[in-house]
Amino acid sequence: MAQLRRKSPFAAAPAAAAKQDEEEEAPARRHRAPLSLAGLLVSIFLVATFLYNEQVAVVRPPAAADADAADGDFPLAGAVRARSAPDLRLLQDDHHRRVNSRSQREQEDQEEEHHDAQQEQEQVGREAEEQPRAEPARLVVDAPARADKRAAAAMTAAPPSNGSVESRAVSVVAEPPACNVYQGWWTYDAEGTQAPLYREPECEFLTEQVTCMRNGRRDDSYQRWRWQPSSCDLPRFDARALLERLRNKRLMFVGDSLNRNQWESMVCLVQSAIPSRDKKSLAKFVGPNGSLNVFTATEYNATVEFYWAPFLVQSNSDNPQVHSVTDRIIAWRSIVKHARHWRGAHYLVFNTYIWWLNTFEMKVLKNPRVSSRYTLVDRPVAYREVLKTWAKWVDRHIDPKKTKVFFMGMSPNHHMPDAWGASPDAVKCAMETQPILNHTGPLYVGTDWRLHDAAEGVLRSMRRVPVHLVDITALSEYRKDAHTSVHTLRQGKLLTPEQQADPRHYADCIHWCLPGLPDTWNHFLYTQIVSGTPLLSSS
């Protein structure tokens, strides 16, 4: 038995000692056990040391890694702050790969559900083929779903072969959580029965910035595209129902010029139910520093307001009329100056995005009371910190029983015609008359989805006050046709014919014509406000 024992390679003895061991009796063999045990311990120690060094070599970060970048949603240029512009396409590709794993199952379930619904409806159609259809034929934008969860709001499927919008509208109001209204397609309403929701000449409160037809645009097709969710229908917009819900209440939009764009849309939507001109009014540039615009529906004692705060926190761009500042500086912990004017509103609609895009690093005053020196901070990091400041104020000062809070997704711009396969001589969004049609794969129109991720993360972290994200970004990326382009103002004046002929320098591919796309955004708000639980009156 002793000869069958296996010797440890780490305890090998010289040849003479080995020979002596073989000749010794049993008592001498007791010394071999400690040698074998010691060898085993040494071997374990050496193997553990080797594995530890290998692991450290793999996970050790670069020596020059930047702490702020490490906190971001994406590693930026090897986690080193760079002066050159980061490749947003690479960041977006990484974003899609990262989210695809968690959204694939949800997307497959939705596609399977939609397929079953189509088969059921086709069976009903075969059994009642003699009956006329309830809806007229529609031109449908049919594009594949995007890989990431937010872009799943883009156009994903063809519409059902049969079915009435009116017959299913009530289910959306009764059970809004059952339907993702941001996933669907754009459909053309040639007869104009559901789009537009009002006519440009009928709204006296529209500014020249957004009245594209009055400013010389010849086609009005951009007004006739209607959003169709894939698994339900939006309820028909009823301005009187909205005004009843707003009776004795304040609806306030807070943010930049895109939120002002949406505010103008909402004013036009609600005023259409008030025929008498002496029962509605609009006051501009009132309140603190003229930051407030207020539409009043006298009969309902309701207001629809807009408050200018492009970064939500305090900045050097807070003047509502003189804010064309290229060297923008924000104080990311200072919000009280603005926020004290939001108190008492029953519905708050926030946004901030477009003013973040002129630089890849933001100039931040971390403590403006102590010093005027700023720090350069990567855009998504600064954006997240600003939203943390905003979220903290909302959680501390908003009563969810009296106020409902919304945060608007990012309104995309369309400055890169190659993103949608335009001809080489195309310039920005100029002369575009249709949405992006028959596009395969994700769109890359320049949207910084890192900020979208940051907003989602902050909203999820809020515990006391629920905030609804109105996720308009992906579905709006397809609407290259709906911008004001050259049919707008420049520095307060309408573009001249010479300027209109130079879209490279004068086309506005950021803001939107009205009636137009912002009406759809407000339709989403309408669904939430009218179908939601009525709020208590403020004291």
Side-chain angles (χ1 to χ4, degrees), residues 410-422:
M410 291 72 192
S411 172
N413 55 50
H414 291 85
H415 291 136
M416 302 183 298
D418 58 325
W420 54 85

Side-chain angles (χ1 to χ4, degrees), residues 27 50 82 141 154 191 243 262 369-370 373 419 478 487 521 528:
F50 174 79
V141 179
E191 298 181 1
L243 282 169
Q262 186 178 352
R369 294 183 179 181
V370 176
R373 297 181 62 183
Y478 287 84
H487 309 290
W521 304 346
Q528 291 288 325

Side-chain angles (χ1 to χ4, degrees), residues 287-346:
N289 297 326
S291 297
L292 197 62
N293 295 348
V294 182
F295 169 82
T296 303
T298 308
E299 183 179 355
Y300 295 87
N301 190 31
T303 60
V304 181
E305 309 172 26
F306 169 72
Y307 183 92
W308 174 261
F311 292 101
L312 298 182
V313 296
Q314 189 173 342
S315 74
N316 64 344
S317 304
D318 289 342
N319 189 311
Q321 299 185 67
V322 184
H323 47 250
S324 297
V325 180
T326 56
D327 189 25
R328 297 167 184 174
I329 303 174
I330 61 174
W332 66 7
R333 297 289 181 253
S334 302
I335 198 171
V336 176
K337 171 188 172 182
H338 295 311
R340 58 194 176 97
H341 302 289
W342 310 337
R343 291 173 177 267
H346 300 82

